[in-house]
Amino acid sequence: MSNAEFTDHELRHEQQFIDELYARVDVLRGDAESSVTDALAQGSTPMQARLERDILVAERSGLLAALNAVDGSLCFGRIDLSSGAAHHIGRIGLRADDAERTPVLIDWRADVARPFYLATGHTPMGLRRRRHISTDGRRVTALHDEILDLGDETRTGHEDPAGDAVLLAALNSARTGRMGDIVQTIQADQDRIIRAPHRGVLVVEGGPGTGKTAVALHRAAYLLYEHRELLARRAVLIVGPNPAFLGYIGEVLPSLGETGVLLATVGELFPGVRATAADTPEAAAVKGRAEMADVLAEVVRSRQALPDPVITIEHDRDVLMLDDDLVNVARERTRAAKLPHNVAREHFEGHVLNTLTDMVAERIGTDPYDGSNLLDASDITQIRDELAENPEVWAAIDRLWPRLTPQRLVADFLAAPEEFLSAADADAVRRPVTRRWTVADVPLLDEAAELLGVDDRLARAEAEREREEQVAYAQGVLDVSYASRTYEFDDKEEDDPEASEVLSAHDIIDAERFAERQEEEDRRSAAERAAADRGWAFGHIIVDEAQELSPMAWRLLMRRSPTRSMTLVGDPAQTAEAAGVGSWEKILQPYVGDRWVHTRLGVNYRTPAEIMELAAAVVRAEDPGFQPPASVRSTGVRPWVRATGDLPSAVAAAVAELTPDEGRLAVIAPRDLHRSLAARLDGVEAGAEPDLTRTVVLLDPRQAKGLEFDSVLVVEPGRYGTSDLYVALTRATQRLGVLHTGDLPKGLAETG
C-alpha cells in the first residue's frame, strides 16, 4: 500500500468511526427526548412514580444537555497502546449497548485518557502513537500523529514531527468573541493543575496568555466528573471580574457537557441585588478594607439605642417610664447572648416586657401595709400578656432595637458615614440614599446580613398558617372522597358483602401526609438554588483575577466556602483595583494560614514574542527584575507606536488598518474617550456592556481583563497605570498598535 493510499485509508477509518459515533449519539438523543416526553406526559402520579419520573427527567435532561453541547466536536483524539489496543478520546464518555457496556468513547477526564496529555517520547506511558483528529462538524478534516514509540517504524502519512501542529493551529485561529475550550490541546503542566486534589486551596499564578482561565474552567469540569455526587448537590461557583468576562467564558463548560455551574461576579452574589452603579477608586478602596467589618459592627451597635432621656408608655390608665438605665440593662443582657441583631431582638423584647411587667406588678400588687406582693404567677402572666398587646410597647421596642435589613443599614451608613469614618474616608464614600448599588457595596451588604441575621418568627408563623390551611383543605378532599365512597357502596353491600372491604384514600392516608404530597416540589438546579440563597455552601469555588478582590470581598467568598475548597487564579503583576489585595499570603493567611498550594504557569500561549517584549518593557521600567511568561510563538509582526494630533481620525484609520479579515479587534481606551471614538467607528457603541462577538469592540483596560482578540489598538497609554497598561498590551494574539497624543510611559517610550 502506497503512502497516499495509507493516508486515505486512515482518513476513511476515522471518518467511519465518527459516523458510527454520531449514529449512536442520534439514537441516544432520540431515546432521551422520548423518555423525557413520556415521563412528563404522565402528569400527576402517586408519590413513588413521580419521584422516579423526576429522576429520569433529570438524568435524561442532563444527557440531552451534554449531547447537544458537544454535538459537532465530540471526538478529538485517539491513543494507540503498545499492547495493540486503542482508545478514542472525546468531550464526554459513551458506551456500547452490549452486556459489558464497552467504552466506545473515553471521556477526556478519565484516568485512561491522561496519557493523551502527558505522554512524551521520553515517557510514553504505554503509548505507541497519539493522534489528534480535527473535524468540521461531523466531517474529519485532518489527522496529526505523534510517534511515541520510536522503535515503531509504521507510518501513516499524518505524522507531525514537532507534535505541535494542533496547538499552533488553535493559537493562530481567528477569535470569535467567546472563549473556546482547550480540551484538545491541554499541555502537561496544565493537566497537572486540572487534576490536582479537590480539597484545600490551590493558587494558580501566571502571566498574560498562560491559560489560567482555561485551566480553571477545565478544572471545574474535571472536578464535576470526579466528584459528581458531591458537587452536583453543592454546586460549583465561578467568580469572574465583570459581566463581559462571564459572557466570554460562558460557553466553555457547556461545550464540555457541564451546565450545573453558577457563574457570577462579586456584584451578583447577594440575592436580590445587582450592582449597576460605579464607585470612584477612592470609594472602592475604603469600602474594600478589612476594617469595614468592624465599622459595620459598630453601625449595628449604634442602632441598639437608649432612651433620650426617657420613653413613656401609657398602659391601663397609667404611665410607665423606660429610662436609659433600665434599657441599658436589657441591652447588655441581650448583647451578652452574642446573637445577630435581628435574631437577638426576641431576647430584647423579653427583657423589656419583663421590666415593664415588674413595674406594673409592683404598682398594683404591693400590699400598702407590709410591702408584700399580693400577685401570684397567673396574675404576672396576665399582666405580661396585656403589655404584649399594647402598641406603645412595640413602638418603644422598635425604636430601641429596630428590625433592620442589610440594604437599609448600608444605605443609611453611606448617607451619613462621618460618625464612623475619618473625614477623608467619609467624603470618599458618602452618597445620598439610593437603590443603586456598586460592586464594592455588595460585600458590605453581605457583612451586614451576617451581623443582622434573620428574625424568621413572622415567616415561620406564616408558614405554619399556610400549612394548617393546606391540611384543612386536604381533610376536606378526603372527607368528600369518603362520603362519595360511602354513598356508592351503601347500595352494593346487600348484593356484594365484600364491597365494603374496598379501601378508599381516607383509609390509607391522613390529611397531613396528603397535604405533603401536594406541596410543590423545588425543581431548580443546585446552581439556581445557590444563586438565590445567601447562606449556600458551595462544593468548590473558582475565582478568576483573584488578586483584584478586596479583603471584604474575600470575607463574602469565604462564607460561601466553609470547607475552603477553592481554586484561585490570577497574576499579582496585573493588580489594578485600588482595593485589590494582590498578595496571595495576605488573601489567605486570615482564613487558612499557610495551608494552601501555589503553582505557576510560565508559558504564554496567547501573546506573540514581539508583543510580549513591548509589554514587558513597561513593567521593567518600574521593576527591573520582572520576568514575563515565555511566548511559544513569534509572528514576525512587530507592534507599532504612533503619535497623533487628531485622535478620533487616527483611531478610525488604525481600526481600518488592524481589523482582521476574520476574528476580532479591541480598541482599548480611557472611558471618557469612548463616546467621541465610537462616533467615528461604524457599529461601535459607547457606554453599553460590550458585545464581544462584534468585529470591533470598545473597552477600557479593566473591561479587557481576561479577554483576548486577534488585534488590539491601545489608545492614550500615558493615562493608564502600569498594571492596566500591561493588561491592555497583552490582549492581542496577532497584531498590536498604540496611538497617543501625550507623553508615553517610560518603558513604552524607550521601546517605541
Side-chain angles (χ1 to χ4, degrees):
M1 181 181 298
S2 69
N3 192 57
E5 292 172 332
F6 206 159
T7 299
D8 291 343
H9 169 75
E10 292 290 326
L11 283 169
R12 286 196 302 271
H13 173 80
E14 294 297 356
Q15 185 63 61
Q16 181 180 358
F17 172 80
I18 295 293
D19 291 341
E20 293 174 353
L21 187 64
Y22 279 109
R24 184 181 303 277
V25 167
D26 291 338
V27 170
L28 283 173
R29 183 182 288 112
D31 288 346
E33 289 174 344
S34 62
S35 296
V36 173
T37 301
D38 293 346
L40 290 174
Q42 294 178 27
S44 179
T45 61
M47 183 64 72
Q48 184 61 35
R50 185 169 65 184
L51 178 61
E52 292 175 353
R53 182 198 71 197
D54 292 344
I55 293 173
L56 174 63
V57 170
E59 289 179 345
R60 293 303 192 186
S61 296
L63 176 61
L64 274 173
L67 292 175
N68 291 334
V70 302
D71 191 18
S73 57
L74 187 57
C75 175
F76 56 80
R78 191 181 87 185
I79 51 177
D80 295 349
L81 280 64
S82 299
S83 63
H87 300 300
H88 280 88
I89 312 298
R91 284 172 168 77
I92 61 174
L94 293 174
R95 293 179 176 271
D97 295 329
D98 54 28
E100 292 76 21
R101 301 287 292 157
T102 305
V104 175
L105 186 67
I106 303 296
D107 193 300
W108 67 275
R109 297 164 287 190
D111 284 343
V112 71
R114 198 169 190 193
F116 182 80
Y117 301 108
L118 297 183
T120 66
H122 185 266
T123 309
M125 300 179 68
L127 298 192
R128 179 174 58 85
R129 179 190 310 273
R130 171 170 48 217
R131 167 169 289 177
H132 293 271
I133 303 172
S134 300
T135 58
D136 179 7
R138 301 188 177 192
R139 183 174 63 87
V140 177
T141 58
L143 305 177
H144 300 275
D145 289 343
E146 296 177 63
I147 306 301
L148 299 173
D149 180 357
L150 301 181
D152 185 350
E153 297 181 356
T154 303
R155 297 293 181 267
T156 65
H158 297 284
E159 280 71 31
D160 175 12
D164 56 8
V166 175
L167 173 63
L168 291 176
L171 298 179
N172 287 314
S173 62
R175 270 41 189 174
T176 64
R178 292 289 181 263
M179 176 181 276
D181 65 66
I182 60 168
V183 65
Q184 190 171 357
T185 59
I186 293 172
Q187 303 301 293
D189 58 340
Q190 297 172 332
D191 183 83
R192 282 187 283 271
I193 294 172
I194 290 169
R195 299 174 191 261
H198 169 222
R199 297 296 180 185
V201 177
L202 174 65
V203 173
V204 182
E205 182 179 329
T210 54
K212 303 183 299 295
T213 298
V215 167
L217 294 172
H218 287 70
R219 175 163 170 75
Y222 171 76
L223 293 177
L224 284 163
Y225 172 85
E226 191 71 9
H227 307 280
R228 177 72 63 189
E229 183 177 352
L230 169 65
L231 297 184
R233 185 174 69 252
R234 299 307 316 162
V236 172
L237 169 66
I238 297 179
V239 180
N242 54 59
F245 175 84
L246 295 181
Y248 176 65
I249 68 172
E251 295 177 4
V252 174
L253 286 169
S255 76
L256 301 174
E258 299 294 348
T259 56
V261 175
L262 176 62
L263 277 69
T265 66
V266 169
E268 298 168 328
L269 287 178
F270 191 88
V273 168
R274 189 177 183 88
T276 58
D279 269 317
T280 64
E282 295 78 15
V286 173
K287 293 176 182 180
R289 293 175 189 162
E291 293 79 9
M292 286 302 299
D294 295 330
V295 170
L296 288 175
E298 189 58 34
V299 174
V300 172
R301 288 174 66 87
S302 73
R303 302 299 293 272
Q304 299 162 0
L306 295 176
D308 183 23
V310 69
I311 294 177
T312 59
I313 298 171
E314 291 188 14
H315 180 72
D316 196 19
R317 292 175 296 180
D318 198 357
V319 176
L320 306 176
M321 302 182 68
L322 282 173
D323 61 28
D324 57 355
D325 287 337
L326 291 172
V327 173
N328 191 50
V329 171
R331 183 174 73 169
E332 293 309 310
R333 288 177 177 175
T334 302
R335 286 176 173 176
K338 298 187 181 302
L339 295 171
H341 172 89
N342 288 333
V343 179
R345 177 183 157 114
E346 183 175 4
H347 293 255
F348 184 76
E349 294 169 0
H351 289 309
V352 171
L353 284 170
N354 289 341
T355 298
L356 295 172
T357 300
D358 291 343
M359 285 185 190
V360 175
E362 183 177 356
R363 293 182 184 183
I364 69 174
T366 302
D367 190 308
Y369 298 103
D370 60 12
S372 62
N373 196 313
L374 304 177
L375 304 178
D376 60 20
S378 63
D379 295 325
I380 299 297
T381 300
Q382 182 178 350
I383 293 171
R384 196 179 192 279
D385 290 344
E386 290 172 352
L387 284 164
E389 295 177 356
N390 186 335
E392 290 193 24
V393 172
W394 292 107
I397 290 173
D398 286 340
R399 175 179 167 186
L400 298 169
W401 199 287
R403 288 188 179 92
L404 298 171
T405 66
Q407 290 90 331
R408 188 67 200 181
L409 184 81
V410 173
D412 288 348
F413 160 66
L414 294 176
E418 53 275 358
E419 180 183 347
F420 308 97
L421 298 174
S422 69
D425 289 348
D427 288 343
V429 304
R430 186 185 293 106
R431 70 168 186 235
V433 173
T434 176
R435 294 184 179 181
R436 296 185 66 207
W437 301 101
T438 70
V439 172
D441 291 334
V442 170
L444 301 186
L445 291 169
D446 198 69
E447 188 73 27
E450 199 74 9
L451 292 166
L452 296 175
V454 178
D455 182 357
D456 63 351
R457 285 176 293 165
L458 294 177
R460 283 189 280 114
E462 178 65 18
E464 181 60 28
R465 185 190 64 77
E466 291 182 358
R467 174 168 174 75
E468 289 175 355
E469 290 181 355
Q470 291 171 350
V471 170
Y473 177 79
Q475 185 64 58
V477 172
L478 292 174
D479 289 344
V480 170
S481 172
Y482 179 72
S484 300
R485 177 256 187 191
T486 301
Y487 178 80
E488 178 183 353
F489 285 107
D490 278 348
D491 294 336
K492 294 182 178 180
E493 286 184 1
E494 293 183 4
D495 300 329
D496 183 6
E498 294 184 0
S500 63
E501 301 301 320
V502 177
L503 295 177
S504 70
H506 197 285
D507 299 312
I508 60 176
I509 192 172
D510 60 26
E512 288 196 5
R513 291 190 177 183
F514 187 55
E516 289 175 358
R517 292 189 177 188
Q518 306 313 308
E519 291 179 0
E520 185 176 349
E521 296 179 34
D522 190 344
R523 299 184 182 276
R524 294 175 299 171
S525 69
E528 291 170 331
R529 285 182 282 121
D533 183 355
R534 192 192 73 83
W536 190 273
F538 287 91
H540 194 78
I541 296 180
I542 292 174
V543 186
D544 205 317
E545 302 292 351
Q547 77 282 348
E548 301 287 12
L549 270 59
S550 70
M552 289 300 293
W554 282 111
R555 287 176 67 87
L556 177 154
L557 287 178
M558 291 298 175
R559 289 189 190 105
R560 287 152 177 75
S561 181
T563 62
R564 304 293 189 259
S565 178
M566 309 178 82
T567 301
L568 314 181
V569 298
D571 180 13
Q574 297 184 62
T575 304
E577 296 293 342
V581 177
S583 163
W584 304 123
E585 290 80 6
K586 290 181 180 178
I587 290 171
L588 295 171
Q589 198 280 329
Y591 304 102
V592 297
D594 60 357
R595 300 183 304 279
W596 51 282
V597 176
H598 178 274
T599 186
R600 182 172 179 82
L601 293 168
V603 178
N604 187 335
Y605 298 99
R606 175 204 304 142
T607 317
E610 295 85 354
I611 295 177
M612 200 64 215
E613 179 183 345
L614 181 71
V618 170
V619 182
R620 287 200 184 104
E622 287 190 1
D623 178 9
F626 173 72
Q627 290 296 326
S631 298
V632 299
R633 65 195 175 101
S634 173
T635 61
V637 179
R638 299 199 62 81
W640 51 258
V641 180
R642 298 173 187 164
T644 180
D646 182 358
L647 191 62
S649 296
V651 168
V655 166
E657 174 187 342
L658 289 171
T659 300
D661 295 333
E662 295 181 355
R664 302 293 180 269
L665 163 68
V667 178
I668 302 178
R671 180 61 66 92
D672 62 313
L673 297 179
H674 282 198
R675 189 172 299 277
S676 62
L677 297 181
R680 299 294 299 271
L681 302 174
D682 292 339
V684 176
E685 298 179 359
E689 196 66 44
D691 179 359
L692 300 179
T693 63
R694 289 179 176 268
T695 301
V696 180
V697 294
L698 186 59
L699 308 169
D700 64 38
R702 305 291 172 88
Q703 291 175 310
K705 270 188 171 295
L707 308 181
E708 62 182 21
F709 304 88
D710 299 271
S711 300
V712 170
L713 177 64
V714 176
V715 179
E716 296 290 32
R719 294 180 54 186
Y720 305 163
T722 300
S723 295
D724 282 340
L725 182 54
Y726 183 53
V727 169
L729 294 173
T730 55
R731 300 303 98 193
T733 66
Q734 301 293 337
R735 296 188 294 172
L736 171 69
V738 179
L739 281 174
H740 64 100
T741 60
D743 294 336
L744 287 170
K746 182 178 179 182
L748 197 58
E750 293 174 353
T751 306

